[in-house]
Amino acid sequence: MMESGGLKVQRRPPVRKRSLSSVHSLYTPVKKKPSGKEEMKITSESHNHADCPTEENGSDDDLFGEYDSFAEDPSLLAQMDYLEEKCKQEATNTALEHQFVTPTIPSISKHLAEDDFEDFPCSQLFYEEAKQDSGTATNHNRTNDLCNIEVGDVCTSMVSHKYPKDEKRKSLRDSLKYTLAGNAKAHTPQISRTMQIKETIIMEELDVAQKTVETSSEIDLGPFYGLPSKVADLIEQYKGIKNLYDWQHTCLTLESLRQRKNLIYSLPTSGGKTLVAEIVILQELLCRKRDVLMILPYVAIVQEKVRGLSAFGVELEFLIEEYAGSKGRFPPIKRRTKKSLYIATIEKGHSLVNSLIETERISDLGLVVVDELHMLSEGSRGAVLEMALSKVLYTSETTQIIGMSATLNNVNELQQFLKADYYTDNFRPVELKEYVKLRDSIYEVDNKEENNFTLSRVLNYKYSSNMLRMDPDHIIALVTEVIPNHSCLVFCPTKKNCENVAEMICKYLNKAYLGHREAEKKQLIEDLRNTGNGTICSVLKRTVPFGIAYHHSGLTSDERKLVEEAYSSGVLCLLTCTSTLAAGVNLPARRVILRAPYVAKDFLKRAQYKQMVGRAGRAGIDSAGESILIIQEKDKEMVRELVSKPPENCYSNLMHDCGKGFQSLLLSLIGLKIAKTAEEIYQFACYTLFSVQQKHLSKEKSLWDITKESMEYLTSKGLVYTKHCPETQQLIFEVSRLGQATYKGSIDLSYCDMLYNDLRKGLEGLVLQSYLHLLYHVTPYDMVTQCSPDWMIYFRQFNLLDPVDQKVAGNVGVPESFLARKVSGQSVKKSAEERVVNRLYLSFILHALVKELDIWTVSSKFNMPRGFIQNLLGSSASFCSCVLHFCEVTSQENHF
């Protein structure tokens, strides 16, 4: 019993379905009492409409055999009359209770198999909880939904369908028949009819699409590109998109996709490329019932995509698993029913592919989608992406690959690499106008003109001498033309410049800007203060009241999320940002200003420029977008070439850093048993982008020579060795224990030896009385070069350590005498290794975090950006996982 609005409400027990053949057992005679009378026992399970034939169905069959003989006993009939009167009274007493039965909301646990609960994505759990919370109020009004049936209903039905008093009772059989008929006619509480119809339609559509896939390589177009119509409703609900662009329809109906061929497609930024990929992903998950891997370039984009698709996962019953930073399980859980969408960074995506190959589950992967395909040319990260794609191409002929990018040039070579078709279009939902500003003149970019520039206008903004000295590039004049009613992005070369420009603009803005959405900006400041445990960045505290903020890696993830949400909703009208925002989350603007044609000290690449200016123009909001590149006279010719030349070619980076990528690829091939002999290794090498471009990337050496040299290098490092195979009479390659640990731990070849030596040295005098020594061993090597210690802070923090931790510093190679000489400026006779010194400094930061100091406190103590410290924390967690896998293998036996 429970109370609702002052009335006691009793939940009805669930109804058990029962076959017609067992109905007679519901009415069983009880042994006679000494008085000689029989009692009839009526069970609560007798009320079952679904299994009972009615008079309307024309059923005159005898359901109860010889039970008519019971009618001969007058005491039995008397008891029936008594029961009817009793039920009539109970029905009257419980009438109000039936009107206020509160429906129960089905828990997510009822929709999930046990295997789906393990590591269920938290974003989808949050969505389900929010969905239930929002539905509670509505469900209180639907009092008949999801309610079970009470015994009283049986009795009520029996009363309501009694024979008239003047009609002769012929037999108990007829009485029971009429009772069952009345039960069938009675109102039965049930789930909303509309919901049942919708679910039925969706299941029918899915069945049709799936049967079509099973009998043909094409997906029947059906209601929504082979998907249930619910998908279109969800896209409208969560993305606000009612109709697809013409190019999107054309792309989705390409013969390439019908036949599941690999595909590369390219369109300008903001053209709607991602939606096409998401529809194809849903086709694979729902119709073909296979897993999907989506590879994105940055952790922030992975997190944004997980949040954006979590609602689709819950509504359409598939799982979304995040593989970024320290998140991700290798190998992934093998699901019995639901399929998974793995959303991963480049590195995590490669590790996921390795784990699927190792467990012989790569064929479970039906589709691989790569956003920003031009990342293939981005140094070591591009090499990792090429490795992952090459392995998928070689090991699974049934896995489809789709790549997309806004900036591609040498498409023919990429097509040859991925064995893919190509689709392109110049569509932009909002027209983009590109401008260049030199002094106070603004020129429109026009490639039809001989010098590529046409004078558009001259700035007319009154500057005082002091103001002109502070703002020689007229940034204030450019931004005040659009803010606060429209949005604006200002790209700056460095993080420090972002903060300086934001403060400079606020210094000279009119005070009227403070009144624009003032209450919401105050709330934003309060939210920022809460994320910092009562502390807020001094720059943001001054700029947010004007609707301005900076955006770069120096922000914590919580701050970055608040700033992005405030900008998207219009609370903030201007962001000063670095180039990473262009390749990151989708934050469009009416006007985009490039503070200078540089990223740090490097001149802009065409791809970077196109990504930045592509943020101009918001679909559905702006009629046009503008980009303005501020230049100096000395950069004029280089900028002319920048705005007119085609995008840079996309080249393989397997030979980046003296061929480290190619060597890592070969090591993992042998470890995963993809290839064993030299011929098999060479055959795999022919599946890489490097093999397509080898003639102009390495003119002096053939692919065979490069493969042979790489294998010799791996052998000399003790990572692989050869042995004779008696079955094939050939020399085969196998990985050593160290080699296996290296590829399983995803350890870079450039420091696998270093890691092994550090760990072996650590075992000789491992200090376990505190965490410092262990933290030192999981401090990532790739962040050491980003650290430049402040010697005064270093020495002060060293002296604050207890004697045990000071001993750790001496053990790794940084004695107190070294730090004392450094801080005093004296020459150091016996210098410590720079790598060790910097790594220990970073481990000091991690040690402070472990002692439960918050990021703001540690940031202040070490005078380092809080964003860098949070990044260090995330990278260390990820590297810790790598070291764990490395140690698990090397500890089994001698690594040789």
Side-chain angles (χ1 to χ4, degrees):
M1 300 289 288
M2 60 179 291
E3 295 187 0
S4 176
L7 295 174
K8 292 187 177 180
V9 180
Q10 181 174 355
R11 295 195 183 277
R12 301 177 178 180
V15 177
R16 293 173 55 194
K17 292 188 177 180
R18 193 178 291 271
S19 64
L20 291 175
S21 61
S22 63
V23 173
H24 66 85
S25 65
L26 302 179
Y27 296 84
T28 56
V30 182
K31 290 184 178 180
K32 291 183 178 180
K33 293 184 178 181
S35 62
K37 295 182 178 180
E38 279 185 289
E39 291 182 353
M40 177 69 75
K41 182 169 69 176
I42 302 178
T43 70
S44 64
E45 295 176 345
S46 63
H47 189 71
N48 187 3
H49 308 293
D51 295 330
C52 300
T54 66
E55 280 194 331
E56 294 176 358
N57 295 332
S59 176
D60 293 324
D61 296 337
D62 188 348
L63 299 178
F64 304 103
E66 299 300 323
Y67 281 116
D68 281 2
S69 61
F70 287 167
E72 302 293 330
D73 187 352
S75 64
L76 179 62
L77 299 178
Q79 291 178 49
M80 289 289 294
D81 288 337
Y82 169 75
L83 286 173
E84 288 177 356
E85 292 298 323
K86 183 177 180 181
C87 289
K88 186 186 296 184
Q89 294 176 4
E90 290 178 358
T92 303
N93 294 335
T94 59
L96 285 177
E97 293 181 6
H98 298 326
Q99 297 178 12
F100 294 94
V101 175
T102 304
T104 57
I105 302 172
S107 169
I108 191 170
S109 62
K110 295 181 181 178
H111 301 291
L112 297 174
E114 290 183 5
D115 63 326
D116 294 338
F117 252 120
E118 191 170 2
D119 290 342
F120 190 79
C122 59
S123 56
Q124 288 178 254
L125 283 173
F126 291 153
Y127 170 81
E128 179 70 18
E129 290 168 2
K131 181 181 174 184
Q132 291 184 16
D133 292 341
S134 64
T136 301
T138 305
N139 286 332
H140 274 299
N141 297 324
R142 298 185 299 182
T143 58
N144 290 327
D145 285 4
L146 302 173
C147 295
N148 294 320
I149 302 168
E150 241 180 83
V151 179
D153 291 348
V154 179
C155 302
T156 305
S157 298
M158 294 175 65
V159 173
S160 61
H161 293 283
K162 258 186 12 176
Y163 279 30
K165 290 185 179 180
D166 57 348
E167 185 176 338
K168 184 179 179 180
R169 185 179 290 104
K170 295 181 179 180
S171 68
L172 179 61
R173 180 187 65 181
D174 291 337
S175 298
L176 293 177
K177 278 186 178 181
Y178 275 94
T179 299
L180 294 173
N183 289 346
K185 292 178 182 178
H187 173 70
T188 304
Q190 56 183 327
I191 299 174
S192 168
R193 181 66 177 167
T194 304
M195 292 299 297
Q196 286 184 332
I197 293 173
K198 284 186 176 181
E199 292 297 328
T200 303
I201 292 173
I202 292 167
M203 293 307 298
E204 288 177 353
E205 292 172 352
L206 276 173
D207 289 341
V208 171
Q210 188 170 358
K211 289 177 181 177
T212 304
V213 172
E214 292 172 353
T215 58
S216 171
S217 60
E218 299 181 9
I219 295 179
D220 183 70
L221 288 181
F224 189 73
Y225 303 101
L227 292 166
S229 54
K230 183 177 182 179
V231 174
D233 297 337
L234 291 173
I235 290 174
E236 181 178 352
Q237 179 181 352
Y238 294 109
K239 295 180 178 291
I241 299 173
K242 295 183 179 180
N243 301 303
L244 269 62
Y245 297 127
D246 291 341
W247 82 264
Q248 291 173 324
H249 173 75
T250 303
C251 187
L252 285 168
T253 54
L254 287 173
E255 193 65 23
S256 305
L257 291 182
R258 289 175 181 269
Q259 298 180 10
R260 297 196 74 248
K261 292 182 178 179
N262 296 344
L263 177 68
I264 300 171
Y265 64 98
S266 176
L267 278 96
T269 302
S270 302
K273 297 186 296 297
T274 304
L275 180 60
V276 170
E278 290 173 355
I279 292 173
V280 177
I281 286 171
L282 293 176
Q283 289 174 345
E284 195 70 28
L285 290 165
L286 303 181
C287 299
R288 298 189 182 94
K289 299 293 184 182
R290 297 178 72 189
D291 297 330
V292 177
L293 169 60
M294 188 177 196
I295 298 178
L296 302 172
Y298 302 109
V299 174
I301 308 179
V302 169
Q303 293 169 343
E304 181 191 34
K305 186 60 63 181
V306 168
R307 290 194 299 268
L309 292 179
S310 61
F312 287 80
V314 171
E315 295 284 354
L316 300 174
E317 296 188 347
F318 63 87
L319 299 177
I320 297 175
E321 301 188 40
E322 180 181 342
Y323 281 76
S326 59
K327 295 183 180 179
R329 178 166 180 165
F330 303 103
I333 299 172
K334 187 174 180 63
R335 311 286 180 178
R336 291 196 297 267
T337 53
K338 295 185 179 181
K339 297 304 173 184
S340 294
L341 168 58
Y342 309 113
I343 305 180
T345 56
I346 293 172
E347 293 77 13
K348 288 287 186 176
H350 179 229
S351 297
L352 182 63
V353 168
N354 283 346
S355 68
L356 291 174
I357 293 173
E358 188 173 22
T359 54
E360 299 181 352
R361 289 168 49 194
I362 190 65
S363 59
D364 293 348
L365 203 60
L367 175 66
V368 176
V369 175
V370 181
D371 195 8
E372 310 295 355
L373 187 61
H374 61 269
M375 289 290 291
L376 283 165
S377 61
E378 296 293 322
S380 59
R381 301 195 76 214
V384 174
L385 178 58
E386 185 177 344
M387 290 183 220
L389 294 177
S390 299
K391 289 173 183 175
V392 172
L393 286 168
Y394 189 84
T395 59
S396 179
E397 295 181 355
T398 60
T399 302
Q400 184 183 17
I401 297 176
I402 294 179
M404 51 183 168
S405 175
T407 55
L408 288 177
N409 191 25
N410 55 330
V411 178
N412 291 336
E413 292 178 335
L414 295 175
Q415 282 184 262
Q416 188 177 344
F417 164 49
L418 294 177
K419 301 174 178 59
D421 290 347
Y422 179 61
Y423 175 82
T424 186
D425 198 295
N426 291 322
F427 173 81
R428 268 188 63 92
V430 177
E431 182 187 3
L432 173 62
K433 296 181 179 180
E434 298 178 38
Y435 298 94
V436 170
K437 177 188 169 298
L438 179 62
R439 291 184 290 273
D440 60 351
S441 300
I442 296 179
Y443 300 85
E444 184 175 359
V445 176
D446 187 355
N447 292 328
K448 297 178 181 178
E449 292 292 324
E450 184 177 352
N451 62 356
N452 301 111
F453 299 140
T454 302
L455 180 64
S456 175
R457 63 189 175 98
V458 177
L459 279 176
N460 183 22
Y461 190 89
K462 294 182 180 180
Y463 269 78
S464 65
S465 57
N466 183 52
M467 188 175 175
L468 189 61
R469 186 170 61 254
M470 295 293 295
D471 182 25
D473 295 322
H474 305 93
I475 294 176
I476 296 173
L478 295 175
V479 302
T480 52
E481 290 178 345
V482 291
I483 64 170
N485 296 323
H486 299 284
S487 57
C488 182
L489 295 175
V490 180
F491 286 100
C492 303
T494 65
K495 290 182 285 188
K496 188 62 179 175
N497 192 231
C498 290
E499 299 176 27
N500 292 339
V501 169
E503 288 198 283
M504 182 269 294
I505 294 173
C506 292
K507 184 176 181 180
Y508 292 101
L509 280 182
N510 192 297
K511 301 300 181 184
Y513 285 88
L514 295 170
H516 181 74
R517 303 184 72 163
E518 184 177 5
E520 293 163 284
K521 288 186 286 192
K522 287 183 178 178
Q523 183 59 49
L524 175 59
I525 291 175
E526 186 63 27
D527 291 341
L528 289 169
R529 183 177 285 109
N530 290 337
T531 63
N533 293 327
T535 308
I536 185 173
C537 170
S538 59
V539 176
L540 292 176
K541 186 177 180 180
R542 289 191 291 269
T543 62
V544 167
F546 288 92
I548 298 173
Y550 66 86
H551 184 289
H552 57 60
S553 61
L555 295 173
T556 65
S557 57
D558 291 333
E559 288 176 315
R560 191 159 54 244
K561 184 179 178 182
L562 286 172
V563 168
E564 290 168 359
E565 290 175 349
Y567 177 81
S568 297
S569 62
V571 176
L572 296 176
C573 56
L574 186 147
L575 294 182
T576 58
C577 50
T578 54
S579 60
T580 53
L581 184 139
V585 292
N586 185 24
L587 296 176
R590 174 66 174 270
R591 175 175 290 180
V592 170
I593 300 171
L594 279 67
R595 174 74 175 74
Y598 291 91
V599 174
K601 296 181 180 179
D602 300 325
F603 196 79
L604 271 181
K605 296 179 181 179
R606 171 72 175 178
Q608 292 173 320
Y609 170 75
K610 277 297 183 182
Q611 279 188 326
M612 291 181 189
V613 302
R615 295 298 181 191
R618 297 168 298 173
I621 301 176
D622 300 324
S623 57
E626 301 174 337
S627 70
I628 301 175
L629 171 58
I630 301 173
I631 66 173
Q632 307 300 323
E633 189 67 40
K634 64 182 179 66
D635 299 322
K636 188 174 181 180
E637 293 304 317
M638 295 176 67
V639 169
R640 181 178 283 112
E641 182 182 359
L642 173 69
V643 299
S644 60
K645 69 179 182 180
E648 293 87 356
N649 287 339
C650 184
Y651 289 121
S652 169
N653 271 266
L654 284 181
M655 300 308 294
H656 176 74
D657 193 15
C658 302
K660 287 290 191 295
F662 194 72
Q663 294 159 5
S664 296
L665 173 61
L666 301 188
L667 176 64
S668 63
L669 290 184
I670 301 168
L672 294 169
K673 296 179 172 53
I674 297 173
K676 294 182 179 180
T677 65
E679 290 74 16
E680 289 174 344
I681 293 171
Y682 175 75
Q683 183 182 1
F684 181 95
C686 294
Y687 275 73
T688 61
L689 177 61
F690 176 72
S691 69
V692 176
Q693 301 174 333
Q694 182 267 327
K695 291 182 179 178
H696 49 265
L697 290 180
S698 180
K699 297 179 181 179
E700 300 82 8
K701 299 177 183 177
S702 66
L703 182 60
W704 173 257
D705 292 336
I706 295 170
T707 304
K708 185 178 178 182
E709 288 182 4
S710 297
M711 292 306 302
E712 290 174 351
Y713 172 81
L714 294 175
T715 304
S716 66
K717 293 271 288 184
L719 299 172
V720 300
Y721 62 91
T722 58
K723 75 174 186 179
H724 185 267
C725 179
E727 297 176 357
T728 60
Q729 298 299 314
Q730 285 182 305
L731 282 177
I732 62 172
F733 290 95
E734 290 196 358
V735 293
S736 66
R737 189 65 60 182
L738 178 60
Q740 187 179 5
T742 300
Y743 88 80
K744 279 200 169 184
S746 300
I747 304 297
D748 194 303
L749 284 180
S750 59
Y751 52 76
C752 65
D753 280 342
M754 200 181 304
L755 174 61
Y756 181 78
N757 291 330
D758 285 346
L759 291 172
R760 187 167 59 179
K761 182 181 177 182
L763 282 176
E764 296 173 359
L766 187 62
V767 178
L768 295 177
Q769 292 172 275
S770 76
Y771 292 112
L772 182 60
H773 206 174
L774 293 175
L775 289 171
Y776 174 81
H777 288 299
V778 299
T779 302
Y781 290 97
D782 56 0
M783 294 200 69
V784 169
T785 55
Q786 304 175 33
C787 170
S788 181
D790 182 313
W791 297 111
M792 183 62 72
I793 294 175
Y794 205 155
F795 188 65
R796 185 187 306 123
Q797 294 302 317
F798 179 89
N799 287 326
L800 290 175
L801 297 175
D802 56 42
V804 172
D805 289 333
Q806 289 182 355
K807 180 182 177 182
V808 171
N811 288 349
V812 300
V814 186
E816 181 180 5
S817 58
F818 170 81
L819 295 176
R821 286 181 175 275
K822 276 289 187 182
V823 77
S824 62
Q826 300 178 24
S827 60
V828 180
K829 296 180 180 179
K830 187 178 180 181
S831 179
E833 189 177 353
E834 182 180 1
R835 171 187 63 83
V836 175
V837 172
N838 291 1
R839 197 175 183 215
L840 181 63
Y841 189 69
L842 293 178
S843 65
F844 279 9
I845 297 174
L846 294 174
H847 190 245
L849 291 170
V850 167
K851 292 196 295 187
E852 299 182 357
L853 294 177
D854 61 82
I855 289 178
W856 283 86
T857 304
V858 176
S859 172
S860 175
K861 181 178 291 189
F862 287 88
N863 194 26
M864 300 186 79
R866 57 198 179 279
F868 173 84
I869 292 175
Q870 190 174 55
N871 186 31
L872 170 64
L873 187 61
S875 298
S876 299
S878 181
F879 186 64
C880 181
S881 176
C882 296
V883 174
L884 173 63
H885 292 302
F886 185 90
C887 292
E888 285 175 343
V889 177
T890 54
S891 63
Q892 292 175 18
E893 60 182 69
N894 190 316
H895 72 277
F896 292 111

